[in-house]
Amino acid sequence: GAVVSQHPSRVICKSGTSVKIECRSLDFQATTMFWYRQFPKQSLMLMATSNEGSKATYEQGVEKDKFLINHASLTLSTLTVTSAHPEDSSFYICSARDGQAASYGYTFGSGTRLTVV
Amino acid sequence: RKEVEQDPGPFNVPEGATVAFNCTYSNSASQSFFWYRQDCRKEPKLLMSVYSSGNEDGRFTAQLNRASQYISLLIRDSKLSDSATYLCVVDFYSGTYKYIFGTGTRLKVLA
C-alpha cells in the first residue's frame, strides 16, 4: 500500500530556532499533501494544503510566514516552523492520497513530535 | 458549528460489548466519509470507508445518512485491542479536496 515517510519523528529545539519537517511519498506521486497539527487530547487540525509547484493554501488562523511549506516535487513536501516558541510544541503530521479514488482514504506519515524549550 | 462533530467520550465498555459511535457533519457537499483509528501518540490509520448503502468489515459496521448528515460506526464483540480513539473524517471538494477530522471518540474496552 501507499507509504508516506515523515522525518524527524521527534525533535526538541530551543525557542527562536527553526525546525524543518519532511514528508515523502515513497511509492506514489502526491500532487497534494496535507499538514495537520494535534495538541494533546485534541483532534487533528488541518493547517494547510500543500500543492506541488504552487503556493500552499493555509487554513484560517494559521500564519503562513511562521509555517513555511514547500512542495517542490511530486514526492516531497516540507513544513518549516520558523522562530519556534513553546506554544508551537505539538504533534505535526502530514498526509497524502494515492490516486483520485475517494475510497482510498489518505495515508499519514508517522508524525513529528515537536517540543520547543 | 464545527464541520465534523463527535461525542468525545470516553466510552468505557466491557469486553464483548457492542458500542456505537455517531458523527455529524455540516457541509452537505461532502462526498466521502471515513472512520480512522488513532492509538495514543501515533498517526491515524484508516479503519474503513463509509458508503451510503452501509458497509461491514468483520465486527465493524459503518452507516451513512446523507439526509441527516450523520455517520455511525458500530463495533460488535469488543476486544481489548479495540481501545483507541475513533475519528470520523469527511472529505469534500471546494476548489480542492479537504480532509476534515472530527474531534474523535475515545473507547476503552475493559477486561
Side-chain angles (χ1 to χ4, degrees), chain B residues 25 28-33 52 64-70:
Chain B
Y25 60 96
S28 59
S30 298
Q31 299 179 349
S32 303
F33 310 89
S52 297
L64 165 64
N65 185 321
R66 285 189 184 270
S68 302
Q69 295 180 201
Y70 169 94

Side-chain angles (χ1 to χ4, degrees), chain A residues 27-53:
Chain A
D27 47 5
F28 66 101
Q29 294 184 330
T31 54
T32 303
M33 280 198 184
F34 300 90
W35 288 94
Y36 293 85
R37 179 169 54 183
Q38 185 177 35
F39 292 107
K41 297 187 179 180
Q42 293 187 27
S43 187
L44 280 78
M45 297 299 296
L46 180 63
M47 297 175 67
T49 303
S50 165
N51 303 296
E52 187 268 333

Side-chain angles (χ1 to χ4, degrees), chain A residues 37 47-48 58-69 79-82 85 87-88:
Chain A
R37 179 169 54 183
M47 297 175 67
Y58 290 82
E59 294 300 302
Q60 195 171 12
V62 178
E63 299 174 59
K64 59 182 179 183
D65 294 331
K66 181 171 182 63
F67 299 98
L68 301 179
I69 290 174
L79 168 68
T80 301
V81 183
T82 63
H85 288 101
E87 57 265 30
D88 297 324

Side-chain angles (χ1 to χ4, degrees), chain B residues 72-91:
Chain B
S72 66
L73 176 68
L74 184 77
I75 305 176
R76 290 181 299 279
D77 188 24
S78 299
K79 312 288 184 192
L80 294 175
S81 57
D82 293 333
S83 298
T85 296
Y86 290 83
L87 301 164
C88 171
V89 185
V90 174
D91 178 16

Side-chain angles (χ1 to χ4, degrees), chain A residues 79-99:
Chain A
L79 168 68
T80 301
V81 183
T82 63
S83 186
H85 288 101
E87 57 265 30
D88 297 324
S89 299
S90 187
F91 186 57
Y92 293 85
I93 191 164
C94 63
S95 75
R97 183 161 67 186
D98 180 12

Side-chain angles (χ1 to χ4, degrees), chain B residues 9-58:
Chain B
F11 283 54
N12 295 323
V13 303
E15 255 188 305
T18 295
V19 61
F21 304 138
N22 302 320
C23 170
T24 57
Y25 60 96
S26 61
N27 191 313
S28 59
S30 298
Q31 299 179 349
S32 303
F33 310 89
F34 307 90
W35 282 102
Y36 274 72
R37 169 193 170 129
Q38 186 177 24
D39 293 288
C40 190
R41 302 172 80 87
K42 296 286 182 69
E43 75 275 21
K45 292 191 187 295
L46 179 65
L47 181 65
M48 58 198 304
S49 303
V50 186
Y51 304 117
S52 297
S53 55
N55 48 301
E56 188 174 306
D57 182 2

